[in-house]
Amino acid sequence: MPQLIFINLPVADLPKSIAFYEAVGATRNPMFSDDTAACMVVSDVIHVMLLTHDKWRTFTDRQIPDAHASAQVMLCLSHTSREAVDAVVKQAGDAGGRVDPNATQDYGFMISRSYADPDGHIWEVMWMDPAAASAGPEAFAADATAA
């Protein structure tokens, strides 16, 4: 079995959050979902666990920060093209998310944009040219400026 990642996020409105994550391409796994939590499958190895605040508090006694005002993590997902990055950011905006809470970074061989979900959790979405991924961005950037 491959190593999996489960990203746990506290959410204020579980049905609204489920709808948002479905709009940006995740699917709900009903076997690991109930009225307090939803397992949203992003890929074969990436899952986002949306937890009501009451459910979240069963795992930790730490305060739930207001992700609209502060950030503890920034989650990043790669996509297959620049167009896919733009499409998922648009889907997030259409679903009620905040588009580009962080500035777009475009290096030619790589682009990253971002969106915030309804609870303010920031997701960065990025694409990198496969040649840059293989050779390393410094080598690719040097080749691009020499041409």
Short mmCIF file of all heavy atoms in Angstrom, two decimals, residues 5-11 14 17-18 20-21 24 26-29 32-33 37-43 45-51 75 77 115 117 121 123:
data_model
loop_
_atom_site.label_atom_id
_atom_site.label_comp_id
_atom_site.label_asym_id
_atom_site.label_seq_id
_atom_site.Cartn_x
_atom_site.Cartn_y
_atom_site.Cartn_z
N ILE A 5 -1.53 10.62 2.36
CA ILE A 5 -1.57 11.83 3.18
C ILE A 5 -3.03 12.18 3.42
O ILE A 5 -3.86 12.14 2.50
CB ILE A 5 -0.80 13.00 2.55
CG1 ILE A 5 -0.79 14.20 3.50
CG2 ILE A 5 -1.35 13.37 1.19
CD1 ILE A 5 0.18 15.30 3.13
N PHE A 6 -3.33 12.49 4.67
CA PHE A 6 -4.65 12.95 5.06
C PHE A 6 -4.48 14.35 5.65
O PHE A 6 -3.85 14.52 6.69
CB PHE A 6 -5.29 12.01 6.10
CG PHE A 6 -5.70 10.70 5.52
CD1 PHE A 6 -4.79 9.66 5.41
CD2 PHE A 6 -6.99 10.51 5.06
CE1 PHE A 6 -5.16 8.45 4.86
CE2 PHE A 6 -7.37 9.29 4.51
CZ PHE A 6 -6.45 8.26 4.41
N ILE A 7 -5.01 15.33 4.98
CA ILE A 7 -4.95 16.72 5.43
C ILE A 7 -6.24 16.98 6.20
O ILE A 7 -7.33 16.84 5.65
CB ILE A 7 -4.83 17.67 4.23
CG1 ILE A 7 -3.55 17.36 3.45
CG2 ILE A 7 -4.90 19.13 4.68
CD1 ILE A 7 -3.51 17.98 2.07
N ASN A 8 -6.12 17.29 7.47
CA ASN A 8 -7.29 17.52 8.32
C ASN A 8 -7.53 19.02 8.45
O ASN A 8 -6.62 19.75 8.85
CB ASN A 8 -7.06 16.91 9.70
CG ASN A 8 -6.93 15.40 9.61
OD1 ASN A 8 -7.92 14.71 9.51
ND2 ASN A 8 -5.70 14.91 9.63
N LEU A 9 -8.75 19.45 8.12
CA LEU A 9 -9.08 20.87 8.19
C LEU A 9 -10.36 21.08 8.99
O LEU A 9 -11.38 20.43 8.74
CB LEU A 9 -9.29 21.44 6.78
CG LEU A 9 -8.10 21.40 5.83
CD1 LEU A 9 -8.52 21.88 4.44
CD2 LEU A 9 -6.97 22.25 6.38
N PRO A 10 -10.34 22.03 9.95
CA PRO A 10 -11.58 22.37 10.64
C PRO A 10 -12.45 23.25 9.75
O PRO A 10 -11.94 24.18 9.10
CB PRO A 10 -11.08 23.14 11.87
CG PRO A 10 -9.79 23.75 11.43
CD PRO A 10 -9.19 22.80 10.44
N VAL A 11 -13.73 22.95 9.69
CA VAL A 11 -14.64 23.73 8.84
C VAL A 11 -15.88 24.13 9.63
O VAL A 11 -16.36 23.39 10.48
CB VAL A 11 -15.05 22.95 7.56
CG1 VAL A 11 -13.82 22.64 6.71
CG2 VAL A 11 -15.82 21.69 7.87
N LEU A 14 -20.01 22.13 7.23
CA LEU A 14 -19.58 20.93 6.54
C LEU A 14 -20.23 20.77 5.16
O LEU A 14 -19.50 20.56 4.18
CB LEU A 14 -19.80 19.69 7.40
CG LEU A 14 -19.29 18.36 6.84
CD1 LEU A 14 -17.79 18.41 6.59
CD2 LEU A 14 -19.63 17.22 7.80
N SER A 17 -18.61 23.19 2.76
CA SER A 17 -17.23 22.80 2.46
C SER A 17 -17.18 21.60 1.52
O SER A 17 -16.36 21.55 0.61
CB SER A 17 -16.46 22.51 3.75
OG SER A 17 -16.30 23.71 4.49
N ILE A 18 -18.06 20.62 1.72
CA ILE A 18 -18.13 19.47 0.82
C ILE A 18 -18.41 19.95 -0.60
O ILE A 18 -17.73 19.55 -1.55
CB ILE A 18 -19.19 18.46 1.28
CG1 ILE A 18 -18.76 17.78 2.58
CG2 ILE A 18 -19.46 17.41 0.18
CD1 ILE A 18 -19.85 16.97 3.26
N PHE A 20 -17.86 22.86 -1.91
CA PHE A 20 -16.71 23.59 -2.42
C PHE A 20 -15.64 22.63 -2.93
O PHE A 20 -15.14 22.77 -4.04
CB PHE A 20 -16.12 24.52 -1.35
CG PHE A 20 -14.89 25.24 -1.83
CD1 PHE A 20 -15.00 26.40 -2.56
CD2 PHE A 20 -13.62 24.74 -1.57
CE1 PHE A 20 -13.88 27.07 -3.03
CE2 PHE A 20 -12.49 25.39 -2.03
CZ PHE A 20 -12.62 26.56 -2.76
N TYR A 21 -15.27 21.66 -2.12
CA TYR A 21 -14.20 20.74 -2.52
C TYR A 21 -14.63 19.86 -3.71
O TYR A 21 -13.80 19.53 -4.56
CB TYR A 21 -13.71 19.92 -1.33
CG TYR A 21 -12.75 20.73 -0.49
CD1 TYR A 21 -13.22 21.58 0.52
CD2 TYR A 21 -11.40 20.73 -0.76
CE1 TYR A 21 -12.35 22.37 1.25
CE2 TYR A 21 -10.52 21.52 -0.03
CZ TYR A 21 -11.00 22.34 0.96
OH TYR A 21 -10.13 23.14 1.68
N VAL A 24 -14.00 21.88 -6.87
CA VAL A 24 -12.60 21.98 -7.33
C VAL A 24 -12.01 20.62 -7.65
O VAL A 24 -10.80 20.49 -7.83
CB VAL A 24 -11.69 22.78 -6.36
CG1 VAL A 24 -12.14 24.23 -6.26
CG2 VAL A 24 -11.62 22.13 -4.99
N ALA A 26 -12.51 17.35 -6.03
CA ALA A 26 -12.43 16.23 -5.08
C ALA A 26 -13.75 15.45 -5.09
O ALA A 26 -14.80 15.99 -5.46
CB ALA A 26 -12.14 16.76 -3.68
N THR A 27 -13.68 14.20 -4.67
CA THR A 27 -14.90 13.40 -4.53
C THR A 27 -15.00 12.93 -3.07
O THR A 27 -13.99 12.64 -2.42
CB THR A 27 -14.88 12.18 -5.46
OG1 THR A 27 -13.71 11.40 -5.21
CG2 THR A 27 -14.90 12.61 -6.92
N ARG A 28 -16.23 12.86 -2.59
CA ARG A 28 -16.46 12.46 -1.20
C ARG A 28 -16.46 10.94 -1.10
O ARG A 28 -17.13 10.26 -1.87
CB ARG A 28 -17.78 13.03 -0.68
CG ARG A 28 -17.98 12.84 0.82
CD ARG A 28 -19.26 13.50 1.30
NE ARG A 28 -20.43 12.84 0.80
CZ ARG A 28 -20.99 11.76 1.34
NH1 ARG A 28 -20.47 11.21 2.43
NH2 ARG A 28 -22.06 11.22 0.82
N ASN A 29 -15.70 10.41 -0.15
CA ASN A 29 -15.70 8.98 0.12
C ASN A 29 -16.71 8.74 1.24
O ASN A 29 -16.44 9.05 2.40
CB ASN A 29 -14.31 8.51 0.54
CG ASN A 29 -14.26 7.03 0.83
OD1 ASN A 29 -15.26 6.40 1.13
ND2 ASN A 29 -13.07 6.46 0.76
N PHE A 32 -15.92 6.99 4.78
CA PHE A 32 -15.21 7.70 5.84
C PHE A 32 -15.80 9.09 6.05
O PHE A 32 -15.09 10.03 6.37
CB PHE A 32 -13.71 7.76 5.52
CG PHE A 32 -13.10 6.40 5.43
CD1 PHE A 32 -12.86 5.81 4.20
CD2 PHE A 32 -12.80 5.69 6.58
CE1 PHE A 32 -12.32 4.53 4.11
CE2 PHE A 32 -12.25 4.41 6.51
CZ PHE A 32 -12.02 3.83 5.26
N SER A 33 -17.11 9.20 5.86
CA SER A 33 -17.81 10.47 6.03
C SER A 33 -19.07 10.24 6.86
O SER A 33 -19.68 9.18 6.80
CB SER A 33 -18.21 11.04 4.66
OG SER A 33 -17.08 11.24 3.84
N ALA A 37 -17.82 14.74 9.71
CA ALA A 37 -16.58 14.72 8.94
C ALA A 37 -16.85 14.22 7.52
O ALA A 37 -17.77 13.43 7.30
CB ALA A 37 -15.55 13.82 9.61
N ALA A 38 -16.02 14.68 6.59
CA ALA A 38 -16.11 14.19 5.22
C ALA A 38 -14.71 13.94 4.70
O ALA A 38 -13.83 14.80 4.82
CB ALA A 38 -16.83 15.20 4.33
N CYS A 39 -14.51 12.76 4.14
CA CYS A 39 -13.24 12.43 3.51
C CYS A 39 -13.35 12.79 2.03
O CYS A 39 -14.12 12.19 1.29
CB CYS A 39 -12.95 10.94 3.67
SG CYS A 39 -11.42 10.42 2.85
N MET A 40 -12.58 13.79 1.62
CA MET A 40 -12.60 14.24 0.24
C MET A 40 -11.34 13.71 -0.45
O MET A 40 -10.23 13.99 -0.03
CB MET A 40 -12.65 15.77 0.18
CG MET A 40 -13.82 16.38 0.96
SD MET A 40 -15.46 15.78 0.46
CE MET A 40 -15.56 16.44 -1.20
N VAL A 41 -11.55 12.94 -1.50
CA VAL A 41 -10.45 12.29 -2.20
C VAL A 41 -9.97 13.21 -3.32
O VAL A 41 -10.73 13.54 -4.23
CB VAL A 41 -10.89 10.93 -2.76
CG1 VAL A 41 -9.74 10.26 -3.52
CG2 VAL A 41 -11.42 10.03 -1.65
N VAL A 42 -8.72 13.62 -3.23
CA VAL A 42 -8.10 14.48 -4.23
C VAL A 42 -7.39 13.62 -5.28
O VAL A 42 -7.43 13.91 -6.47
CB VAL A 42 -7.13 15.48 -3.58
CG1 VAL A 42 -6.39 16.31 -4.61
CG2 VAL A 42 -7.87 16.38 -2.58
N SER A 43 -6.73 12.56 -4.82
CA SER A 43 -6.06 11.61 -5.71
C SER A 43 -5.98 10.28 -4.98
O SER A 43 -6.46 10.15 -3.84
CB SER A 43 -4.66 12.11 -6.08
OG SER A 43 -3.77 11.94 -5.00
N VAL A 45 -3.64 9.08 -3.43
CA VAL A 45 -2.85 9.17 -2.19
C VAL A 45 -3.11 10.43 -1.37
O VAL A 45 -2.56 10.56 -0.28
CB VAL A 45 -1.33 9.05 -2.50
CG1 VAL A 45 -0.99 7.67 -3.05
CG2 VAL A 45 -0.86 10.14 -3.42
N ILE A 46 -3.94 11.34 -1.86
CA ILE A 46 -4.19 12.60 -1.15
C ILE A 46 -5.67 12.67 -0.77
O ILE A 46 -6.55 12.58 -1.64
CB ILE A 46 -3.81 13.83 -1.99
CG1 ILE A 46 -2.35 13.76 -2.43
CG2 ILE A 46 -4.11 15.11 -1.22
CD1 ILE A 46 -1.98 14.80 -3.47
N HIS A 47 -5.91 12.86 0.52
CA HIS A 47 -7.28 12.98 1.04
C HIS A 47 -7.35 14.20 1.95
O HIS A 47 -6.42 14.47 2.70
CB HIS A 47 -7.66 11.74 1.85
CG HIS A 47 -7.52 10.47 1.08
ND1 HIS A 47 -6.31 9.86 0.86
CD2 HIS A 47 -8.44 9.72 0.43
CE1 HIS A 47 -6.49 8.77 0.13
NE2 HIS A 47 -7.76 8.67 -0.15
N VAL A 48 -8.47 14.91 1.87
CA VAL A 48 -8.70 16.04 2.76
C VAL A 48 -9.86 15.66 3.68
O VAL A 48 -10.95 15.35 3.20
CB VAL A 48 -9.03 17.33 1.97
CG1 VAL A 48 -9.33 18.48 2.92
CG2 VAL A 48 -7.89 17.69 1.02
N MET A 49 -9.58 15.66 4.97
CA MET A 49 -10.61 15.37 5.96
C MET A 49 -11.19 16.70 6.44
O MET A 49 -10.49 17.50 7.06
CB MET A 49 -10.04 14.59 7.14
CG MET A 49 -9.56 13.20 6.81
SD MET A 49 -10.86 12.07 6.19
CE MET A 49 -12.01 12.06 7.56
N LEU A 50 -12.43 16.93 6.10
CA LEU A 50 -13.14 18.13 6.55
C LEU A 50 -13.83 17.77 7.85
O LEU A 50 -14.66 16.85 7.90
CB LEU A 50 -14.16 18.56 5.49
CG LEU A 50 -13.61 18.81 4.09
CD1 LEU A 50 -14.73 19.09 3.11
CD2 LEU A 50 -12.60 19.95 4.11
N LEU A 51 -13.50 18.49 8.92
CA LEU A 51 -14.00 18.15 10.24
C LEU A 51 -14.77 19.34 10.82
O LEU A 51 -14.26 20.47 10.82
CB LEU A 51 -12.84 17.81 11.18
CG LEU A 51 -11.88 16.72 10.68
CD1 LEU A 51 -10.65 16.66 11.58
CD2 LEU A 51 -12.58 15.38 10.62
N LEU A 75 -1.10 24.81 1.59
CA LEU A 75 -1.14 23.51 0.95
C LEU A 75 -0.95 23.71 -0.54
O LEU A 75 -1.51 24.63 -1.13
CB LEU A 75 -2.48 22.85 1.25
CG LEU A 75 -2.80 22.81 2.75
CD1 LEU A 75 -4.28 22.63 2.99
CD2 LEU A 75 -1.98 21.75 3.44
N LEU A 77 -0.82 21.89 -4.48
CA LEU A 77 -1.08 20.76 -5.38
C LEU A 77 -0.57 21.10 -6.76
O LEU A 77 -0.79 22.21 -7.26
CB LEU A 77 -2.59 20.48 -5.46
CG LEU A 77 -3.26 19.94 -4.21
CD1 LEU A 77 -4.77 19.87 -4.41
CD2 LEU A 77 -2.70 18.57 -3.85
N TYR A 115 -5.93 29.88 -4.05
CA TYR A 115 -7.30 30.19 -3.67
C TYR A 115 -7.48 29.84 -2.20
O TYR A 115 -6.71 29.05 -1.65
CB TYR A 115 -8.33 29.46 -4.55
CG TYR A 115 -8.31 27.95 -4.46
CD1 TYR A 115 -8.96 27.27 -3.44
CD2 TYR A 115 -7.63 27.20 -5.41
CE1 TYR A 115 -8.95 25.88 -3.37
CE2 TYR A 115 -7.62 25.82 -5.36
CZ TYR A 115 -8.28 25.17 -4.34
OH TYR A 115 -8.26 23.79 -4.27
N ASP A 117 -10.36 28.45 0.57
CA ASP A 117 -11.66 27.80 0.68
C ASP A 117 -12.58 28.67 1.55
O ASP A 117 -12.16 29.72 2.06
CB ASP A 117 -11.51 26.36 1.18
CG ASP A 117 -11.16 26.24 2.66
OD1 ASP A 117 -11.16 27.25 3.40
OD2 ASP A 117 -10.88 25.11 3.08
N HIS A 121 -8.70 28.51 4.37
CA HIS A 121 -7.52 27.67 4.17
C HIS A 121 -6.99 27.91 2.76
O HIS A 121 -7.72 27.80 1.78
CB HIS A 121 -7.86 26.19 4.36
CG HIS A 121 -8.48 25.88 5.68
ND1 HIS A 121 -7.81 26.01 6.87
CD2 HIS A 121 -9.74 25.48 5.99
CE1 HIS A 121 -8.62 25.67 7.86
NE2 HIS A 121 -9.79 25.36 7.36
N TRP A 123 -4.90 27.23 -0.57
CA TRP A 123 -4.37 26.19 -1.44
C TRP A 123 -3.62 26.87 -2.57
O TRP A 123 -4.15 27.73 -3.26
CB TRP A 123 -5.51 25.35 -2.03
CG TRP A 123 -6.14 24.45 -1.01
CD1 TRP A 123 -7.14 24.78 -0.14
CD2 TRP A 123 -5.81 23.10 -0.75
NE1 TRP A 123 -7.44 23.71 0.65
CE2 TRP A 123 -6.63 22.65 0.28
CE3 TRP A 123 -4.88 22.22 -1.31
CZ2 TRP A 123 -6.58 21.36 0.78
CZ3 TRP A 123 -4.82 20.93 -0.81
CH2 TRP A 123 -5.67 20.51 0.23
#
